[in-house]
Amino acid sequence: MTGGSLFSSRGSSPSHHSSHVSPSSTPPRAAAHHTFSDTMMEENIDHAESIVRKWDLDAHNHEKFSPLFADDRREAKRFLEAVSGLQSAMHYYVKLSSSSQNLVRAQNLMQIAIKRLEKEFYVILSANRRNLDSESVSGMFSRASTRSTISDYYEDEISEEEESTTPPRTPPRTPPRGGNSPSDAERALDVAMADLKSIAECMIASGYARECVNIYKLIRKSIVDEALYYLGVEKLNHSQMQKMEWNVLEPKIKNWLHAVKIAVKTLFHGERILCDIVFSSSEKIAESCFTEISRDAALNLFSFPENFGKSKKILSPEKMFRALDLYESISDLWPEIESIFSHESLSAVRSEAVAALVKLGEAVRIMLDQFEAAIQKDSSKTPTGGAVHPLTRYVMNYLVFLCDYSGALSDILADWPVNAKTPLPESYFASPTSGGGEDPSAAAITARLAWLILVLLCKLDGKAVLYNDVALSYLFLANNLNYVVSKVQNSNLGLLMGLEWIWKTRSKVNRYVANYERMGWSKVISSLPEDPTAEIPLEEARECFRRFNLAFEEAYKKQTSWVIPDPKLRDEVKISLAKMIAPGYRAFYQKHRGKYAREAGVAPIVRYAPEDLDNYLSDLFFGSKTSSYEAYPGSSVSSSHSR
């Protein structure tokens, strides 16, 4: 009788009847059935013994170890069937008598068989460390299909082998993947997983799950720990972090950002898949095994960002971007974290990842407060010439970089509205686009950024009054607000602040420019009569030329050191000034220039031709103390300064 036919009859054992009927009173039909079962179980044991003894480790301990699962797939299957047959026989005899000789014999054979399977399981795991690496496993199998694919494939492969007349000496074929031929590594991976799965199923069914799991955990846990070590994942508490110099801690953060993606997407993902495949016969065992392998390593992995968030002593605005990097990495990986560590026994890992997000969010809020306070406390001097203040550049570049983290910031700021202690209405600092039916989290980040810009502008207002010249104060405000608008308009800040905010702020720049022009050039413009073409007395015309010369030279001399860094704004201001000054002067010049002849040794009454004014104005706002024109220009009426 073959092994297969023996196993097909094991479910028909009537042993539960024999325990209630004495031998002397056993009906003839039941007695015959009992005798048949005895015979079948003895044959099971005999058949198993012939196979198990052949592979007895103790009987061949002087020989080089020869793996049972190395080549002949049919021999491996027969061994597993023999173990299953022994298990059936033991169940049968234990109900009859715990002292049955056949029971003792079956138990002894089972011990030999399990010892062999433990060795085989260990060897397969050890020898295939490279083939069973997490990257290969996670890359080749999806979580949704791991429960049945390998099992079904392995059974089909063995069935095909049994139909062959020649025992196969090569690994089973790999299931086709998209029509491409599998590589040797893929074939070896398939074979190793199928063998591990079949051994695990056999040992679990035989009551040796613990022995199987212990071997698996011993090897796979060391692989996980070793992988994280080579990824550079360190166990640092927040006290250790706080004592580190930033130039030491920052590289560790960068390393963690690289490591966490590999750890989650490849290492833990692959280990979860492998556990699910090998222990597919028991979801509970698969869960327990993966938990033991991964929990401590995962907790250590996610404790790093949490401890950074806790380390308040090292928090400062310049470290905010690293905190946001850490937050984003966990947030982006959250779907995988939730799926891979979905077991209830791994809830601590999910909680640790959430705790890291919470602490990092708190850290970002602290650093935003620090950033706002730093703006308000800035005591640096105003730049000469009304240039863009370094504070303005720093703040706006900082805010532009923050926009790269708009997703993370929206999450962090969603329930942290701006509670500004200011007499100004909310509409003054909230973006016009932040209301309505938009995403509340997007509105939160918009309002926060708008408020920080307002804090900056208020600080600049205070710095503007430090200039002794009111016109220069307005030019300073125009330059800085223009820089703010340009930064918003030419970055992702524009998407958050909205077109209406940009338009309103741009019009404020224009008002500052108009105030500068009015305060800086009012004496020049008022030195000419309202109607420059009207007939006036010779002496009055002479006085007008004299006042114009003095006013223009004074304004020009003072403003040669003033600056407008933005070329577009600089050209706009020059054109505007030329339109304000040149037409009136040209009309007055053409009406009265012929009345004054130059006298030897006397400064001319008419010092400038209209073209000279354009040339002098075009030379302004580059911030140079010495112009290409003299501080007190021309002594002759000519256009010699034309460029």
Side-chain angles (χ1 to χ4, degrees), residues 154 378 530 628:
Y154 184 73
D378 181 81
E530 289 187 16
S628 58

Side-chain angles (χ1 to χ4, degrees), residues 285-489:
I285 291 175
E287 172 184 348
S288 172
C289 201
F290 178 68
T291 298
E292 290 296 319
I293 289 170
S294 65
R295 181 174 53 200
D296 291 345
L299 287 173
N300 180 44
L301 179 69
F302 293 116
S303 69
F304 182 92
E306 183 191 9
N307 286 327
F308 176 81
K310 286 180 180 178
S311 306
K312 294 181 173 56
K313 290 182 181 179
I314 64 171
L315 300 183
S316 58
E318 63 270 16
K319 299 180 179 68
M320 187 183 312
F321 300 108
R322 285 300 173 207
L324 288 169
D325 285 334
L326 293 169
Y327 188 99
E328 266 195 348
S329 66
I330 301 173
S331 183
D332 292 344
L333 290 169
W334 179 250
E336 287 91 345
I337 294 169
E338 199 171 28
S339 173
I340 295 168
F341 302 101
S342 59
H343 297 317
E344 183 59 32
S345 56
L346 288 165
S347 61
V349 175
R350 301 193 302 275
S351 297
E352 184 67 28
V354 171
L357 289 175
V358 170
K359 290 299 179 184
L360 289 168
E362 291 174 358
V364 168
R365 292 180 179 186
I366 289 171
M367 288 184 279
L368 279 172
D369 280 340
Q370 291 175 341
F371 181 63
E372 180 181 333
I375 298 172
Q376 294 172 333
K377 294 175 182 177
D378 181 81
S379 59
S380 56
K381 296 180 180 179
T382 51
T384 57
V388 177
H389 200 287
L391 177 66
T392 306
R393 297 182 186 277
Y394 173 72
V395 170
M396 292 312 300
N397 286 325
Y398 194 96
L399 296 184
V400 167
F401 287 135
L402 277 183
C403 283
D404 293 338
Y405 299 91
S406 57
L409 277 174
S410 294
D411 292 341
I412 293 169
L413 301 177
D415 56 348
W416 194 49
V418 176
N419 294 316
K421 295 179 180 179
T422 172
L424 298 172
E426 183 179 347
S427 60
Y428 190 84
F429 59 86
S431 166
T433 62
S434 64
E438 292 194 2
D439 181 2
S441 61
I445 182 176
T446 299
R448 178 66 54 176
L449 295 176
W451 168 250
L452 289 172
I453 292 175
L454 178 64
V455 171
L456 169 65
L457 297 182
C458 291
K459 188 66 180 179
L460 293 173
D461 284 343
K463 291 182 179 295
V465 301
L466 300 177
Y467 288 107
N468 294 325
D469 193 294
V470 177
L472 182 56
S473 295
Y474 280 119
L475 185 64
F476 169 78
L477 291 173
N479 279 330
N480 282 269
L481 190 57
N482 179 69
Y483 183 87
V484 169
V485 176
S486 297
K487 277 293 182 179
V488 171
Q489 197 168 10

